[in-house]
Amino acid sequence: MAYLFWKAARRGNRPPCLADVQWQGALDDPHMFTVAVENPDLQPPRFRYTRIGSALEQRLGRGLAGLPTGAHPGNDYVGSLEGAYRRCARTLTPSYEYANYNFGDGAPITFERLILPLAGMNGRITHLIGVVLFSEQEKRPNGSEGS
């Protein structure tokens, strides 16, 4: 649904502004986050979390709001956050990633991340919003994995 709201709010081929997107409360979703693009003229640009959903904070074990995106080392299992954020801001297009991990020490984990760029009135990217979902699949007694 986040992608559909984002797509409906686009201004031609340009990403919408944060205020243009009618989320109907979706920004309060426990699986969503908002990232501010700090000084987009820097190469590479820097990012700071402005909002992290409760389910994401619970999974990480701490709050990240107000912190730079690189301030939480040790979470490489979700892929390169900085790289995904830079790519989304540079291309002005959504970024979607999906992975299924099986570390052999429990149930497999499915990870999905959608990142959407938001522009200011000048057309430059000012924010990224996203949704991150983790699904832990049941492990069946005979060793095969559930769906």
Side-chain angles (χ1 to χ4, degrees), residues 2-97:
Y3 173 75
L4 294 176
F5 287 133
W6 177 88
K7 185 177 176 183
R10 282 188 314 177
R11 294 173 285 147
N13 288 331
R14 296 187 328 175
C17 294
L18 183 58
D20 291 341
V21 182
Q22 298 300 315
W23 296 102
Q24 301 174 359
L27 284 180
D28 294 328
D29 185 285
H31 300 280
M32 290 193 78
F33 65 89
T34 306
V35 173
V37 180
E38 295 189 336
N39 196 348
D41 295 328
L42 286 178
Q43 291 304 320
R46 295 204 175 114
F47 306 95
R48 181 172 301 279
Y49 290 107
T50 59
R51 190 199 163 283
I52 301 289
S54 59
L56 300 176
E57 285 190 340
Q58 182 178 7
R59 180 164 284 277
L60 292 170
R62 65 187 178 119
L64 296 177
L67 295 177
T69 57
H72 57 290
N75 291 319
D76 293 339
Y77 63 90
V78 297
S80 170
L81 291 173
E82 292 284 325
Y85 295 161
R86 283 192 304 267
R87 185 172 47 257
C88 186
R90 183 183 70 244
T91 64
L92 308 177
T93 59
S95 171
Y96 175 74
E97 297 166 301

Side-chain angles (χ1 to χ4, degrees), residues 102-106 139:
N102 186 346
F103 299 108
D105 58 354
K139 194 160 189 131

Side-chain angles (χ1 to χ4, degrees), residues 59 99-101 107-112 133-137:
R59 180 164 284 277
N100 190 5
Y101 295 99
I109 296 174
T110 299
F111 162 78
E112 292 182 80
L133 300 174
F134 290 90
S135 311
E136 295 174 56
Q137 302 170 4

